[in-house]
Amino acid sequence: MPLLEVQDIHVAYGELEVVRGVSFTVERGEIVTILGSNGAGKTTTLRSIVGLLRSTNGDIRFDGKSIRNAAAHEIANLGLALVPEGRQLFPEHTVRENLELGAYRRLRSGKRSEFVDSLDEIFELFPRVRERLEQPAGLLSGGEQQMVAIARALVSRPQLLLLDEPSLGLAPIMVRSIFDAFVKLKSRGLTILLVEQMAWLGLEICDRAHVLEGGTLALSGTARELAYNPRVIEAYLGTAL
Amino acid sequence: MYFFLQITLSGIATGAIYGLIAVGYSLTFMTTKVLNFALGMWVMLGGMLTYSLHVEYGLNPLFVLPIVTLVLFALGVVAERFSVFPFLRAGSDVWVMSTLAVGFLMIDLAEIIWGRNPTPVPPFIGKDAIYIGQVSILPQQLLIILVACVMFLALDVFYRRTLLGKAFRAVAHSGDVSGLMGINTRRIQALSYAMASALAGIAGFLVVPLTLAEPQMGTVLGLKAFAIAIIAGLAAPRGILICGLMYGAFEALVSGYLYTGIRDILGFSLMILALFLKPEGVFGRRQEERV
């Protein structure tokens, strides 16, 4: 059974249907990338998976259980963590407070020691987060904010990590460091669903990928298949990997 | 100088009440952008319950305070569920009218239960003024200042030190992102409304010995507290206490040195001026979107 099954979802903003009949699956332990240009429906798809938008048709199943009508906090508590586009940290909270909020459910159940253990894992992955713990998150650089945003999602110990354009607005060296972290996380068994506009980045680390165009899935395949697909090369890559 | 200090001190006690009510506006505004426009009526309910429990049933104020707080908290949960949440869910602004409707309902019910005649409530801790040099203060006024300061301190500790308080601040920044953290934003919204109602009840408990217990006792208090919340900034709870104390002193000085009749004209003009010059409030910060 796949960890995530998206079945024929349709999502609209008022009259405008942005996602039309999208279906795909994410298996345990793999990285799946969704590619597409601006306005293709990538963010809308992610937001509907995590309960911030409702799909009017179809179903979304996580670990076999339908989450289509669940509230965002219920979905988060099932083990899905989204790193939203533009980081969306709480800027006036310190980095530590942002991480505490990421681990909200566990801290509410009194599992502070688990949170402390998670912090150690985070510091190993992103040593800079430790140095910035007591600073307001809004004062960090874009790259540091992205690390904190990923760390905030990870401290919830998710089964599925969803990332919306993690490379957006970051320096190439920072992008490299963050994508290296995704590979490390995968090797630790984490499942990742990545939405990325920079196709070569997404295809480099994923197992399978889908291309969204105009709200529908235009192409699907393994990373290698898509990297050598002439349509993908022309529209997103420019050259083959 | 003596006169100046005397009226300033009395004004500060009134200002502490304004601050306590005003922070209630801030609590709900921060989490839902909703304002309970009838918060003054909740103050009245706190005052009238205090009258019944303390005067009619002879209960010690130490027991009256937690009862009033809990009753108003519970009523706040109910009022939010039926007069605010349905409109918030529908994306409608009708809560402006529904919160007021609940307030007027409370006044009518209070008139039926307690009648329209103003009734005095004896001070909780003695009638004799305490002298600090030549300046005197009533024990009840001192109690108001102390309790208001403790409540603000507790609220500050709640916001800064507790996980739930941090979640309140998170919801204030973004309900959507808070939901992604597993925070039940709906529960926080209901809780903030109930807390604002309870704070208004505490204000009513404290102020009723200085005013008189009657169904209209909270209306003007609520309006002035609203002015203070606007002047300070609805998202600036610390600033609200400072503004509340200053506004109380300002009112007292205007009444003492000028004329009581222009006190409210100047006060509400100040609110309009503050809105014009700094819409986010004197202590408020403009929201910046980072990309």
Side-chain angles (χ1 to χ4, degrees), chain A residues 47 50 52 72-73 76-77 88-93 97 100-102 104 107 138 145 152, chain B residues 160 163-164 166-167 169-170 173-174 176-184 188 285 290-291:
Chain A
R47 287 173 69 85
V50 296
L52 294 180
H73 72 275
N77 291 337
Q88 305 265 347
L89 294 175
F90 301 112
E92 292 183 11
H93 289 67
E97 287 174 332
E100 284 173 351
L101 290 167
Y104 185 76
L107 288 174
Q145 285 195 11
R152 185 179 64 177
Chain B
R160 305 273 150 201
L163 187 64
L164 189 60
K166 289 169 193 174
R169 286 163 49 216
H173 178 73
S174 165
D176 274 359
V177 182
S178 302
L180 294 177
M181 305 296 109
I183 297 167
N184 186 341
I188 298 244
R285 264 183 284 180
R290 275 181 160 247
V291 181

Side-chain angles (χ1 to χ4, degrees), chain B residues 68-85:
Chain B
V68 167
T69 309
L70 284 175
V71 168
L72 268 84
F73 183 91
L75 287 175
V77 171
V78 175
E80 197 274 346
R81 179 65 188 83
F82 294 104
S83 70
V84 177
F85 176 60

Side-chain angles (χ1 to χ4, degrees), chain B residues 219-239:
Chain B
T219 313
V220 176
L221 282 172
L223 273 176
K224 288 183 179 175
F226 182 67
I228 286 155
I230 296 289
I231 294 170
L234 281 162
R238 285 181 186 176

Side-chain angles (χ1 to χ4, degrees), chain A residues 208-222:
Chain A
R208 291 186 301 122
H210 305 280
V211 178
L212 259 180
E213 278 177 8
T216 56
L217 275 192
L219 286 170
S220 295
T222 63

Side-chain angles (χ1 to χ4, degrees), chain B residues 136-218:
Chain B
S136 68
I137 185 165
L138 291 172
Q140 186 69 28
Q141 289 177 317
L142 198 61
L143 182 73
I144 287 173
I145 295 172
L146 283 176
V147 173
C149 288
V150 168
M151 292 308 299
F152 269 90
L153 200 64
L155 205 59
D156 209 54
V157 169
F158 170 74
Y159 275 134
R160 305 273 150 201
R161 298 265 176 259
T162 68
L163 187 64
L164 189 60
K166 289 169 193 174
F168 263 66
R169 286 163 49 216
V171 173
H173 178 73
S174 165
D176 274 359
V177 182
S178 302
L180 294 177
M181 305 296 109
I183 297 167
N184 186 341
T185 50
R186 169 73 205 114
R187 190 172 292 168
I188 298 244
Q189 288 164 356
L191 196 56
S192 66
Y193 201 88
M195 281 168 67
S197 308
L199 276 177
I202 294 171
F205 163 85
L206 288 169
V207 81
V208 74
L210 295 183
T211 61
L212 293 165
E214 53 112 359
Q216 291 290 352
M217 65 171 274

